[in-house]
Amino acid sequence: LGLNKKVIGLMVLEDEIKPSAKRVLEKTRELGVKKWIMLTGDNSAVAQKVSKEIGVDEFHFDLRPEEKLEIVKKMEKGRQTLAMIGDGVNDAAALALADVSFAMGAIGSDAAIEAADIALMHDDLKKIPEIIDLSRYVVKTVKENFWIWGITNFVGLVLVFGGILGPVGAAVFNFATDFVPIMNSLKILRR
């Protein structure tokens, strides 16, 4: 604020750090996330303060959208699954490039929401560990279903070639065992 060409006061505005952010990072590390990297358009002081407060491993600051994209491209080489969280137009290209991306839906831009794989409609970071846990459970269930399918088909073939089941019996056996993986998949709904 100024008066007669003299500074009489300053105001500083900053985004509020979500209270759950630090715990979310800790929880994702418990689930196997190896490293958290913050890419921000904010200045170095803000980036350093936020990264220290929530426990980010590495940060890059004063980034334009194309610089974020370049960093994500570099991270993409020789690594495991790359996930990204963003909310703005400046994050959209990098969100689209990541293996898994989350947009903060309530505060996010339409471009970020469109580019992301998952939109968190209530901007609740606590959902991220839940999503990681649920996705692992779904993958485990899919693998179980392949085993169930393979075993039941093998048993069916043995019964057919052993002369125990004729064409009608084989069709009934195949039809009945098709429901086993479906029933196994229903456990996901309880999760």
Side-chain angles (χ1 to χ4, degrees):
L1 300 172
L3 180 65
N4 297 327
K5 297 186 179 184
K6 292 186 179 180
V7 176
I8 61 169
L10 296 171
M11 281 187 356
V12 176
L13 301 174
E14 66 178 30
D15 291 332
E16 180 182 354
I17 296 173
K18 293 191 179 294
S20 62
K22 184 175 182 169
R23 179 65 191 128
V24 167
L25 269 63
E26 291 168 355
K27 181 68 178 158
T28 59
R29 284 190 174 100
E30 291 168 14
L31 293 169
V33 171
K34 305 249 187 299
K35 190 174 189 179
W36 276 90
I37 301 170
M38 182 171 64
L39 307 178
T40 181
D42 290 331
N43 64 43
S44 62
V46 172
Q48 189 169 13
K49 178 183 182 242
V50 171
S51 66
K52 185 176 181 181
E53 192 170 322
I54 66 175
V56 170
D57 301 301
E58 178 183 326
F59 63 90
H60 301 266
F61 55 90
D62 288 330
L63 298 175
R64 295 185 315 274
E66 58 274 12
E67 293 170 320
K68 288 183 181 184
L69 183 61
E70 284 305 313
I71 291 171
V72 170
K73 282 180 182 177
K74 286 178 188 172
M75 282 191 259
E76 210 180 21
K77 297 175 183 166
R79 54 88 190 128
Q80 295 178 339
T81 304
L82 175 65
M84 181 164 175
I85 303 167
D87 65 0
V89 172
N90 58 348
D91 298 320
L95 286 167
L97 187 60
D99 296 317
V100 179
S101 54
F102 302 86
M104 305 306 279
I107 62 170
S109 71
D110 289 342
I113 293 168
E114 186 67 31
D117 298 307
I118 300 165
L120 300 172
M121 297 314 294
H122 299 290
D123 296 337
D124 187 357
L125 292 173
K126 292 179 280 188
K127 296 289 183 191
I128 292 172
E130 291 175 26
I131 292 168
I132 292 170
D133 187 46
L134 179 61
S135 66
R136 288 181 177 164
Y137 188 70
V138 168
V139 168
K140 178 181 171 248
T141 303
V142 168
K143 289 177 181 176
E144 289 171 359
N145 287 343
F146 276 115
W147 277 103
I148 291 168
W149 174 82
I151 290 168
T152 56
N153 277 295
F154 177 77
V155 169
L157 286 172
V158 168
L159 293 173
V160 167
F161 288 117
I164 299 169
L165 290 178
V168 173
V172 170
F173 179 85
N174 186 49
F175 180 75
T177 58
D178 281 348
F179 288 98
V180 178
I182 294 170
M183 298 307 289
N184 187 50
S185 296
L186 290 176
K187 69 183 178 183
I188 294 171
L189 296 176
R190 291 192 305 263
R191 191 85 172 204

